[in-house]
């Protein structure tokens, strides 16, 4: 590079960084001002500034639970809604389901009867909705569902019921050279279908529960990957640190969850050396979303809430801390500046 | 941005890209000119240039076998060398091994007697060298080994016996916005210790075989991940497409291997739509490295070689196509320019 190019480059770098600093003065516009928002920006400033708490880029691993942390999980897990919708779509070709639980209950809207079949019924549902097809076929089915199915209360596609403040948080972390991962009890092949579009998280950064996948070959030797009905790995509770070790191979420095299923992930993240950020989304907003914690059958938050209070983890009070909940609210209000 | 900044930025961008183009005129200096080198640069040009064969950045997934593809695998897999060295280090505290195979054979240099114990003997070796400790402890042991152990023929640390042309190829792909992954039959927790330093591949982009990892808690509740002696997943042969699906979740567009263990990975990669690159390293250089293929007990290349010839995959002839084999040779010769 000649000297004049160097000089212009230096000038340009200053101009650009000033411009960028102005444009990004609030990277978290959907978070209300206060302790919680400050705890996030303080942490990021600490680990990205040269000094005692500095963390090299390669170690800036951030993990996020999905159900109840990045998107809604009420009135029941969205993947269960997918399975129920799928059963209804398949029903015409399966007349034998009409008189058999858990299918009968699903058709008749008697969820209680369906759920009474317990784990056996759930595995029946998984077997017919998540197995017996190639991984590519499954992806297409899920993709179609995300485009057509609607949440019963909010009357919007499920993939629009993601939390705008969490999208901003993940963008903010990535802008600060964090690598963001999903670590969820949900099915990995289910989440990977939309995670890139919705969360900007590529498939290889999605960790989740999985079924066995078998390799088969067609008559002319082409490899097919077939989803089997057997459970391979449950990425929940104590499974989360195991999943993080298996898929990421490095202890995160930031973990965000919302339920007791995330407690082990937060504990594991907390136990590493150096600065750590542990966050819980507390669902306190029955009006804009839902209010639930210790007694909920979905996303129960009990022991993890106690531990978070004891240890001073960051507890996000949805009602108090989030200016908006969903992206469509953000679009509807005035831009922050 | 003001107009003058925009103008200077545009000027600057032109100057920089011209400078970069000159400096990078040969991104693969350790590859001899010819059909093979051209097949690589042609492929990269095709998928990165707007047009019919263009591949979006997110789909530029490149997978590499490790043993025999990125580093040496003779006279036997380096991870086996690690296990043998480890057994020798542990021997003083295990007097009972003195008269028991496969340990006895290892101590006496009678590899044949040791290997005669077959899979059972191998699992005994794995159990004492790869299990019964935390994942962190195992990482430290491997790290120490990479610093001290030396290859019997080349008298260098094993991690220096990586292939300089493949390092350049991976750098070149990453410079063209590919994401590079290791997909190896080797142990994932073994490779992750050095993959970032040696290959610039972070832990989360290493796919490999694994043992079961159990979560335990200390008396005061701290989570420990303990390596168990049970095999969880073998990432070899038909396991490779399964591993790619499980860990990456997207079909690669480029795959490089060197043995029949990589054949399924190449087939799976080849079966996707659009442009594909399938490569095999053929070990043809007994002088600088080793010469072996169909008859080798390590890295056997037989059926995959036939298929590669039939289908016109790229077969790298180490002797013909590589100007240098190892990084230390590169440092010893004149820079290309």
């Amino acid at each position: 590079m000649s000297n004049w190019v160097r000089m212009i480059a230096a000038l340009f770098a200053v101009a650009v960084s000033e411009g960028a600093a102005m444009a990004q003065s609030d990277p978290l516009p959907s978070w209300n001002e206060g302790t919680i928002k400050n705890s996030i920006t303080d942490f990021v400033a600490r680990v990205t500034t040269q000094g005692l708490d500095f963390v090299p880029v390669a170690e800036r691993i951030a993990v996020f639970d999905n159900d109840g942390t990045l998107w809604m999980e009420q009135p029941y897990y969205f993947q269960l809604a997918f399975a129920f919708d799928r059963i209804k779509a398949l029903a015409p070709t399966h007349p034998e389901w009409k008189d058999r639980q858990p299918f009968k209950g699903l058709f008749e809207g008697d969820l209680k009867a369906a759920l009474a079949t317990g784990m056996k019924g759930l595995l029946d549902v998984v077997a017919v909705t998540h197995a017996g097809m190639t991984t590519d076929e499954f992806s297409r089915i899920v993709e179609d569902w995300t485009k057509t199915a609607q949440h019963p209360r909010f009357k919007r596609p499920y993939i629009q019921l993601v939390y705008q403040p969490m999208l901003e948080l993940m963008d903010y972390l990535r802008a600060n050279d964090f690598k963001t991962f999903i670590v969820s009890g949900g099915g990995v092949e289910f989440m990977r279908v939309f995670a890139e579009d919705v969360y900007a998280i590529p498939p290889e950064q999605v960790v989740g529960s999985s079924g066995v996948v078998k390799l088969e070959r067609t008559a002319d030797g082409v490899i097919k990957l077939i989803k089997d009905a057997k459970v391979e790995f449950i990425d929940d509770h104590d499974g989360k640190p195991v999943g993080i070790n298996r898929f990421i191979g490095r202890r995160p420095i930031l973990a965000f969850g919302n339920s007791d299923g995330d407690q082990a992930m937060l504990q594991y993240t907390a136990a590493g050396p150096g600065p750590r950020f542990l966050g819980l989304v507390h669902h306190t907003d029955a009006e804009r979303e839902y209010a639930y914690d210790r007694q909920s059958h979905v996303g129960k938050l009990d022991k993890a809430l106690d531990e978070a209070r004891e240890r001073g983890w960051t507890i996000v009070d949805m009602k108090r801390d989030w200016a908006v909940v969903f992206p469509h609210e953000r679009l509807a209000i005035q831009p922050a500046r």
Side-chain angles (χ1 to χ4, degrees), chain A:
Chain A
M1 249 192 283
S2 67
N3 279 337
W4 73 267
V5 171
R6 246 181 261 276
M7 203 180 66
I8 291 173
L11 276 170
F12 175 62
V14 171
V16 165
S17 71
E18 279 177 3
M22 280 188 337
Q24 295 188 356
S25 63
D26 187 359
L28 303 171
S30 299
W31 292 74
N32 289 325
E33 299 304 324
T35 320
I36 300 299
K37 182 169 180 168
N38 290 343
S39 76
I40 295 171
T41 50
D42 286 353
F43 174 78
V44 171
R46 274 165 61 210
V47 300
T48 57
T49 308
Q50 287 299 338
L52 266 182
D53 283 347
F54 180 77
V55 175
V57 166
E59 290 166 29
R60 293 184 200 161
I61 302 291
V63 292
F64 292 85
D65 169 58
N66 186 39
D67 298 303
T69 301
L70 296 180
W71 77 354
M72 224 158 64
E73 62 184 349
Q74 297 287 0
Y76 40 75
Y77 296 125
F78 289 1
Q79 192 170 355
L80 210 55
F82 160 74
F84 293 170
D85 288 346
R86 186 77 194 134
I87 281 171
K88 285 173 195 157
L90 291 170
T93 54
H94 289 273
E96 75 278 12
W97 289 350
K98 214 163 52 78
D99 302 308
R100 213 184 110 201
Q101 293 294 7
F103 307 105
K104 184 170 184 289
L106 295 178
F107 300 141
E108 296 170 354
D110 186 357
L111 207 60
K112 212 173 155 184
L115 293 177
T117 56
M119 187 51 82
K120 205 200 150 300
L122 186 65
L123 288 177
D124 281 351
V125 170
V126 168
V128 299
T129 58
H130 285 71
M133 65 199 88
T134 68
T135 53
D136 288 345
E137 284 160 0
F138 180 73
S139 295
R140 275 193 296 274
I141 294 167
V142 175
E143 200 181 346
D144 287 346
W145 176 83
T146 62
K147 287 179 187 155
T148 54
Q150 291 215 332
H151 187 274
R153 174 176 157 199
F154 290 89
K155 311 291 181 208
R156 283 179 179 272
Y158 290 93
I159 52 170
Q160 290 181 14
L161 299 173
V162 296
Y163 303 132
Q164 174 66 20
M166 298 304 283
L167 298 182
E168 291 170 9
L169 172 56
M170 292 196 292
D171 276 344
Y172 173 56
L173 292 172
R174 290 187 289 251
N176 283 281
D177 294 325
F178 278 73
K179 207 162 176 178
T180 52
F181 291 81
I182 292 175
V183 176
S184 167
V188 64
E189 310 225 41
F190 178 76
M191 294 183 287
R192 279 173 172 165
V193 173
F194 53 83
E196 191 151 36
D197 280 350
V198 174
Y199 302 131
I201 294 183
E204 65 271 20
Q205 286 163 227
V206 180
V207 180
S209 298
S210 55
V212 168
V213 171
K214 285 186 307 189
L215 187 147
E216 292 179 5
R217 285 185 167 79
T218 61
D220 49 345
V222 177
I223 287 173
K224 291 169 65 170
L225 298 179
I226 309 286
K227 283 175 68 64
D228 204 352
K230 265 180 287 197
V231 170
E232 177 182 80
F233 177 58
I234 299 292
D235 188 49
D236 206 9
H237 294 275
D238 278 2
K240 290 205 175 192
V242 172
I244 289 170
N245 179 65
R246 182 184 299 178
F247 285 85
I248 307 177
R250 182 134 54 187
R251 197 190 295 255
I253 65 166
L254 180 151
F256 234 111
N258 78 300
S259 78
D260 286 358
D262 303 313
Q263 192 174 5
M265 174 169 84
L266 270 66
Q267 290 169 336
Y268 177 66
T269 302
R276 304 278 135 173
F277 185 96
L278 297 315
L280 280 176
V281 175
H282 191 185
H283 294 262
T284 52
D285 195 332
E287 200 178 312
R288 292 188 301 176
E289 203 241 11
Y290 292 91
Y292 59 99
D293 48 28
R294 297 184 196 273
Q295 306 300 326
S296 180
H297 64 292
V298 173
K300 179 178 176 174
L301 176 64
D302 182 26
K303 289 184 180 163
L305 189 57
D306 292 339
E307 182 168 1
R309 285 178 178 157
E310 242 168 64
R311 300 233 234 161
W313 293 347
T314 296
I315 303 169
V316 175
D317 181 324
M318 186 180 276
K319 191 169 183 170
R320 178 195 64 193
D321 296 318
W322 286 0
V324 305
V325 177
F326 302 115
H328 60 264
E329 297 171 64
R330 181 95 222 137
L331 295 172
I333 63 172
Q334 286 290 95
R337 219 167 308 101

